[in-house]
Each structure stands twice: as structure tokens, then as C-alpha cells.
Amino acid sequence: RIKFDRSMADSISNYVLWNGEASSFQCSGDECTKQVDMSSLSDGHHSLEVTKDALDQDGLAVGAAFRSEFMIDRQDGVIANSIQKLPGLICDNGAQICHKATGASWFRVQNVGSNWSEWRRYNETTTKWNAQFSVPVLVQYYSRLSASFIVGDCLTKTGERCHASWHEEMFLRGEFNDWGNDNEGRMMLISSFTWGINVSLSGFVRTR
């Protein structure tokens, strides 16, 4: 249902777009409605738009377009849920990446510590990949003007999952270890994307 702040021209239904196309909206006065069977909609992005050329009952154009988007994801994937850890992303004993990213249009892959792959169109459920045991794998997805969807996984030689991370290692530097000139300060990966260290200090010190 679309509600306007004034009565619209009889032609308004021509300017109400469903997934980019004029659709069978029923319009009267200041509102337009459409019944949609959700089970008939495909997974992925959907949009509802009123174009800037829509006219009110006095013949004046609204002047600015209105657009609303939503996404359907029956796979419970990484775009809809914006998660960072996905056990099973590394599959086939490290020989493939098993995607779960409904709504993505591009992706790239990285073994942490190595370079990113080239961006590739997202049109496959699996991608051949050479994962290294106990080395996290990151996959970055691009979806609808955002590339902020990054998910990781890690697999050991025994088939167990290990913690994913952005980095191979992290180091706490501060006055207590001469700003890294001493080895004390090396952090441990204690959970996916979470590093920690125990340090005993007797007073205020600067760190970074």
C-alpha cells in the first residue's frame, strides 16, 4: 500500500513501479494498493518506486522519486543477516567455497595473509578454491551499492573449524614493551575476529 499526501491523477498507476516495471496497482484518490503472494516472489532484491513524473490531481509532478527496497532470502544467507562467521564456507575439504549470499552480485576471496582474488560476478553456488589448513578464508560480497559484507571460515587438517580473522597476527604495542621492540605483547586469537592478551601492569601506560 502506498499513501500520498494528496489525491493523485488517474494516470498515477503508470508511475508506480514494481521491480522497475509498471504493475497492476489499484489506485484511487491518495493511495495505491497491490496484493502480492509472497510465495510467488523469488529470492533476492525487490523494489517499489514512484517516479518523479507522477502527477497529482492538479497536474503537478511530485518532482522527486520515492524508492523502497527489500530482500527475500529463504537461505538465511550472509547478506540478509550480515554475519561475519559462516562455518561451511570452506567446503570439499578446502577445495571449494560454498556460498550462501542471496542478493550478492560480485565477490572476491582471500586466504588471510595473501592477496585478494579479482572481483567475480556472483552467479554460482560454489567456487573452486585452494584453502590452506588452519588459515582463515575471507569472502567479500558486493550487494546493492555496498561491499561491506565480509564473511570468514577456517578449517583444520582434521576437519575441525578454527577461528576466522582479518589478520595473521596481532601485536599490542605500548610503553610496557618498548613499543614493540620487545616480543612481549603478541596477542592470541581467542574467538573468530577477536584477539586477546593478558598483561599485568603496575601503573598507567600508553598502548596502541
Side-chain angles (χ1 to χ4, degrees):
R1 179 186 181 192
I2 301 174
K3 186 79 171 178
F4 298 94
D5 65 352
R6 69 198 72 176
S7 293
M8 303 302 289
D10 293 340
S11 61
I12 182 60
S13 60
N14 297 324
Y15 300 96
V16 180
L17 308 183
W18 174 253
N19 291 329
E21 298 181 355
S23 189
S24 55
F25 278 86
Q26 301 297 317
C27 299
S28 177
D30 61 353
E31 69 176 29
C32 293
T33 59
K34 178 180 175 68
Q35 294 290 331
V36 178
D37 181 2
M38 295 300 291
S39 65
S40 68
L41 298 181
S42 62
D43 283 1
H45 293 279
H46 297 272
S47 65
L48 176 63
E49 182 178 2
V50 178
T51 69
K52 64 181 180 63
D53 299 318
L55 304 176
D56 66 12
Q57 63 179 358
D58 296 322
L60 298 176
V62 296
F66 164 82
R67 182 180 177 89
S68 178
E69 293 194 13
F70 66 93
M71 194 178 80
I72 295 177
D73 181 7
R74 298 176 179 88
Q75 306 298 316
D76 201 28
V78 303
I79 305 299
N81 292 283
S82 192
I83 58 178
Q84 288 189 311
K85 181 176 67 173
L86 182 64
L89 181 70
I90 302 173
C91 58
D92 194 17
N93 201 34
Q96 293 193 96
I97 300 297
C98 287
H99 300 282
K100 198 176 181 183
T102 297
S105 52
W106 296 84
F107 75 96
R108 62 177 183 170
V109 189
Q110 177 198 61
N111 289 332
V112 172
S114 302
N115 294 327
W116 285 98
S117 70
E118 296 294 324
W119 284 98
R120 299 173 57 174
R121 285 196 175 276
Y122 183 75
N123 53 14
E124 54 197 21
T125 57
T126 60
T127 300
K128 290 184 178 180
W129 189 253
N130 184 24
Q132 302 168 18
F133 292 124
S134 299
V135 176
V137 171
L138 300 177
V139 182
Q140 182 177 15
Y141 297 100
Y142 174 88
S143 176
R144 293 287 189 177
L145 304 181
S146 176
S148 63
F149 306 97
I150 302 178
V151 66
D153 192 18
C154 185
L155 185 68
T156 67
K157 187 178 294 186
T158 60
E160 297 177 323
R161 297 293 162 184
C162 41
H163 298 316
S165 175
W166 301 100
H167 312 289
E168 292 180 281
E169 60 180 359
M170 292 194 71
F171 203 88
L172 179 65
R173 293 179 171 84
E175 293 175 322
F176 73 96
N177 64 357
D178 194 23
W179 296 105
N181 290 322
D182 297 335
N183 191 53
E184 183 182 357
R186 189 174 301 278
M187 304 180 75
M188 294 182 59
L189 184 60
I190 59 176
S191 183
S192 289
F193 303 100
T194 304
W195 294 77
I197 184 175
N198 291 322
V199 179
S200 296
L201 304 171
S202 59
F204 175 80
V205 296
R206 291 178 296 172
T207 63
R208 64 182 179 188

